[in-house]
Amino acid sequence: MNIFNSDIVTIAQDALWEEVSYLVGDCIPKPVLIITNSCVSGSPEEAQLKKMMEACKLTDEQYNIVRLIDGQQAAWHQLRELLDPQIIFLIGILPAQLGISALFRINEPNN
């Protein structure tokens, strides 16, 4: 899909208008959304993520996990509409991958 192409906005940004429901699957809205890089099922990375959620005292019913392939972009506005989270936890994902142009305080909560 070629929506818009210029020196400032490249064709790569077209991914931010593509459908993201395949990333969400059958997830229902939950208060916490975790967006992380993709990992193999049963890998040490997945075990580490589960331990992090347990340390935060979160149950499976309280969070959704969306996994992106390295460098993959996904439209934040669509993820927000589909999953309606109150808290978003980015692990290894840059805000620019979600089409967000903002500076965030590192390792601190942001509004």
Side-chain angles (χ1 to χ4, degrees), residues 13 16 72-74 90 93-102 104:
Q13 301 300 317
L16 299 173
Q72 179 182 6
Q73 292 187 317
L90 301 178
I93 301 296
L94 298 173
Q97 285 179 255
L98 303 173
I100 300 171
S101 298
F104 293 117

Side-chain angles (χ1 to χ4, degrees), residues 53-110:
M53 297 305 102
E54 289 172 7
C56 294
K57 296 184 177 19
L58 291 173
T59 64
D60 290 339
E61 294 79 34
Q62 294 175 299
Y63 64 89
N64 285 311
I65 299 175
V66 171
R67 292 181 168 87
L68 301 179
I69 299 169
D70 289 339
Q72 179 182 6
Q73 292 187 317
W76 164 244
H77 66 278
Q78 291 184 33
L79 290 172
R80 181 188 64 223
E81 288 176 16
L82 291 170
L83 298 175
D84 192 30
Q86 286 95 38
I87 298 170
I88 300 92
F89 190 30
L90 301 178
I91 304 174
I93 301 296
L94 298 173
Q97 285 179 255
L98 303 173
I100 300 171
S101 298
L103 294 175
F104 293 117
R105 292 177 285 166
I106 297 175
N107 299 324
E108 292 184 37
N110 291 271

